[in-house]
Amino acid sequence: MPYQAPIKEMLFVINELADLATVTALPGNEDATLDTAEAILEENGKFVSGVIAPLNHASDKEPSWWHDGQVTTSKGFKAAFKAFGEAGWQGVQHPVEFGGQGLPKLLATPCIEMLNSGSISFALCPLLSDGAIEALLTAGSDEQKAIYLEKLVSGEWTGTMNLTEPQAGSDLAAVRTRAEPQGDGTYKVFGTKIYITYGEHDFSDNIVHLVLARTPDAPAGVKGISLFIVPKFLVNADGTLGARNDAHCVSLEHKLGIKASPTAVLQFGDHGGAIGTLVGEENRGLEYMFIMMNAARFGVGLQGIGLAERAYQKAVAFARDRVQSRDVAGSAGPVAIIHHPDVRRMLMNMRAQTEAARALAYVGAGLSDIAHRHADEAVRKQNLAVYEYLVPVIKGWSTEMSQDVTRDGVQVHGGMGFIEETGAAQHYRDAKILTIYEGTTAIQANDLVGRKTVRDGGAVARGLVEQVRATQAQLAASGDANLQAIAKQLASGADDLAAAVDFVVANVKSDIKAVFAGSVLYLKLAGVVLGGWQMARAAAIAQGKLEAGEGDAGFYRAKIGTARFFADHILSQSSSLRTAIVDGSAGVLALDEAQF
């Protein structure tokens, strides 16, 4: 089925839940109106559905390939990326001074989601460039910004981040790549980096590698890591490309999914040393790289949402067309499987989780805009704290959700879902990596516990719980049966999340293993409750629109019905998650190593 961007749904979330009006009122955002948002989303949807989405299935069959140190990307990808850059899509949220459109993150977010619905393998290249741009904007020198940013923003060049090494996966303290100062402001970089997304390709004239490495006198561990720009081609003083740098792709990985995205093994310094320049100060590289990682983590959450939306659309189309078996109520003959209750359950599970994750991500994007542009420093600080709490939830919960949704997509197709030609299996395979790269779900959960909950004694988390309770009270006071049913589950969810936060804060010093034994479940609970909160808000708004006789009544009734499903079938899981978090560590830690 051709991908159709859910523009009406996206605009509803942007305007009603993420509060576009507040974002538009921020300095520099005056042009980011609802009309602007609609125009941008419509154009991006046309581009993705017409140019990117048709490449997805074929590129899975004929992925990128390596030959003699060069990478040829899947058929159509190079031309599509050229069109992507020329249309300005890489620069939607980046500064005007470097050729971007300077629009808020809230408007860039649906564009990123749509691109991922079109093809995650394709979208990974812009994702990494976005991270490189953010890192250089924050920590790059004026000279580095002048050399690299305009080219990256335009899509003429692309960016990568190089963290992982054969002996150092998520443990960056074990990084061995070294950078030797040359006395002229440059360094020679030596080492091997693995799992480098778009580390080599044929999209652009240059690839700007951001590389973690150690200088000779650096302290051990993560405190001794610096960040370097190591371009594929050196750049002359006038901005033209110079000599080929000593940074080479020696192989590509063969993967379960995202096969069209070239995942490279890069070798630096085999022929005398790759020339690099320091970003910021020595030994602060991990700090700078986290700027890229946080941007990428939010982006990977959007990958999960975009992929879930694509899988849902495909499943709905199949369920409408596939005729099999009589209706359980006794139809005259076989019916389309969308009439069977369990197929309806799966489709609602796919739809509700996708909508909840989308709403939470877009709300997070709006908070980020306020955190960066509001005139009041206290308001900026408060919104940044909430956004930072949400990032590991958006990344971890949305990507875990995408596996649930794409699995249901295969199941709706039945035996045909297991056959590669239908395309449902590709979505399922592509989803798996999302819970692994840019930090596994456990790493996101550790961040949520240690940096985002314990650090402030649970203040931000408890503040969110109070907002959930305010929405719950609004729905409980309604005379509508659906809203009251949602309120009942939301009340339990708020209590369960509050109890989990209290448990984490109270026990992290006295019984840290018990806390981290339930950390992933805590992340899931936060996603379920905060996603349920957004669905509840959407239902209340939709009910108000219906009562006022405004807009598309069918759309608003569907919002309420989907929110009701989420409350009854997903939010209702909060109590069991709470039990596992608070009381479940004994089982997790019951066996010693030899017993496994």
Side-chain angles (χ1 to χ4, degrees), residues 295-372:
R297 285 173 175 178
F298 181 88
V300 174
L302 293 177
Q303 287 185 324
I305 296 163
L307 186 54
E309 174 66 33
R310 186 80 183 267
Y312 168 69
Q313 290 189 18
K314 190 171 193 63
V316 169
F318 182 85
R320 285 175 173 155
D321 290 342
R322 175 62 168 166
V323 175
Q324 182 174 297
S325 302
R326 296 174 185 272
D327 190 298
V328 292
S331 60
V335 295
I337 63 172
I338 199 168
H339 293 282
H340 298 314
D342 193 60
V343 172
R344 290 288 187 97
R345 178 192 61 80
M346 289 188 286
L347 293 176
M348 287 299 291
N349 187 56
M350 298 173 77
R351 178 190 180 107
Q353 291 196 83
T354 303
E355 288 191 10
R358 175 185 291 122
L360 193 61
Y362 287 22
V363 166
L367 293 170
S368 177
D369 286 325
I370 297 170
H372 284 90

Side-chain angles (χ1 to χ4, degrees), residues 74-382:
S74 299
K75 184 178 180 180
F77 266 33
K78 183 177 179 179
F81 188 80
K82 186 175 187 293
F84 174 82
E86 290 176 347
W89 294 119
Q90 183 74 66
V92 171
Q93 63 183 317
H94 299 305
V96 174
E97 65 181 295
F98 296 110
Q101 298 181 43
L103 291 168
K105 188 181 185 76
L106 180 55
L107 296 196
T109 293
C111 296
I112 296 169
E113 181 199 323
M114 284 186 267
L115 191 64
N116 284 295
S117 287
S119 170
I120 282 183
S121 285
F122 180 90
L124 276 163
C125 188
L127 171 71
L128 271 296
S129 289
D130 280 340
I133 292 165
E134 291 295 333
L136 292 178
L137 283 170
T138 303
S141 67
D142 289 342
E143 181 181 6
Q144 289 169 336
K145 291 176 183 177
I147 292 171
Y148 294 106
L149 280 179
E150 188 172 338
K151 298 288 190 180
L152 287 168
V153 169
S154 70
E156 293 177 68
W157 297 351
T158 66
T160 71
M161 59 178 174
N162 291 243
L163 294 80
T164 307
E165 300 178 6
Q167 80 293 339
S170 300
D171 182 10
L172 297 179
V175 163
R176 294 176 186 165
T177 296
R178 68 186 194 277
E180 299 176 356
Q182 300 302 295
D184 62 354
T186 67
Y187 294 72
K188 284 191 174 181
V189 177
F190 302 86
T192 303
K193 297 290 185 178
I194 63 173
Y195 302 153
I196 309 306
T197 301
Y198 278 90
E200 177 63 29
H201 58 77
D202 57 5
F203 284 4
S204 61
D205 295 332
N206 205 7
I207 303 174
V208 183
H209 302 298
L210 293 188
V211 183
L212 290 182
R214 297 182 183 281
T215 54
D217 299 323
V222 295
K223 294 182 179 180
I225 297 175
S226 299
L227 182 63
F228 299 88
I229 299 174
V230 186
K232 176 180 177 179
F233 287 94
L234 300 176
V235 184
N236 297 319
D238 62 359
T240 60
L241 294 182
R244 180 72 159 84
N245 207 354
D246 189 8
H248 298 277
C249 174
V250 296
S251 68
L252 294 182
E253 305 293 355
H254 303 280
K255 300 167 293 186
L256 174 68
I258 58 166
K259 292 182 177 182
S261 165
T263 302
V265 177
L266 295 184
Q267 189 67 37
F268 296 91
D270 264 6
H271 305 284
I275 303 301
T277 56
L278 179 70
V279 178
E281 301 174 14
E282 285 191 14
N283 305 323
R284 295 181 65 186
L286 195 58
E287 173 188 340
Y288 303 144
M289 187 62 84
F290 261 108
I291 298 166
M292 287 188 74
M293 290 175 67
N294 277 331
R297 285 173 175 178
F298 181 88
V300 174
L302 293 177
Q303 287 185 324
I305 296 163
L307 186 54
E309 174 66 33
R310 186 80 183 267
Y312 168 69
Q313 290 189 18
K314 190 171 193 63
V316 169
F318 182 85
R320 285 175 173 155
D321 290 342
R322 175 62 168 166
V323 175
Q324 182 174 297
S325 302
R326 296 174 185 272
D327 190 298
V328 292
S331 60
V335 295
I337 63 172
I338 199 168
H339 293 282
H340 298 314
D342 193 60
V343 172
R344 290 288 187 97
R345 178 192 61 80
M346 289 188 286
L347 293 176
M348 287 299 291
N349 187 56
M350 298 173 77
R351 178 190 180 107
Q353 291 196 83
T354 303
E355 288 191 10
R358 175 185 291 122
L360 193 61
Y362 287 22
V363 166
L367 293 170
S368 177
D369 286 325
I370 297 170
H372 284 90
R373 296 201 179 189
H374 200 280
D376 189 321
E377 182 180 358
V379 174
R380 292 198 304 271
K381 185 177 179 180
Q382 179 187 16

Side-chain angles (χ1 to χ4, degrees), residues 28-63:
N29 284 353
E30 294 82 5
D31 293 334
T33 62
L34 185 58
D35 287 343
T36 299
E38 185 171 1
I40 289 172
L41 268 59
E42 290 284 358
E43 285 304 310
N44 190 263
K46 291 176 185 176
F47 178 80
V48 170
S49 62
V51 178
I52 305 300
L55 302 174
N56 190 51
H57 190 55
S59 68
D60 184 62
K61 299 302 180 186
E62 298 182 11

Side-chain angles (χ1 to χ4, degrees), residues 517-548:
S519 61
V520 167
L521 299 179
Y522 169 50
L523 182 148
K524 182 176 181 179
L525 176 62
V528 165
V529 174
L530 298 177
W533 170 40
Q534 298 307 318
M535 295 298 279
R537 292 180 63 213
I541 292 166
Q543 182 62 31
K545 299 286 188 183
L546 287 173
E547 291 172 357

Side-chain angles (χ1 to χ4, degrees), residues 14-15 18-26 32 106:
I14 288 170
N15 194 43
D19 194 6
L20 177 62
T22 294
V23 173
T24 303
L26 297 171
L106 180 55

Side-chain angles (χ1 to χ4, degrees), residues 553-569:
F555 175 82
Y556 293 127
R557 282 194 291 269
K559 292 301 286 179
I560 295 169
T562 306
R564 173 68 188 266
F565 178 91
F566 191 96
D568 290 344
H569 290 262

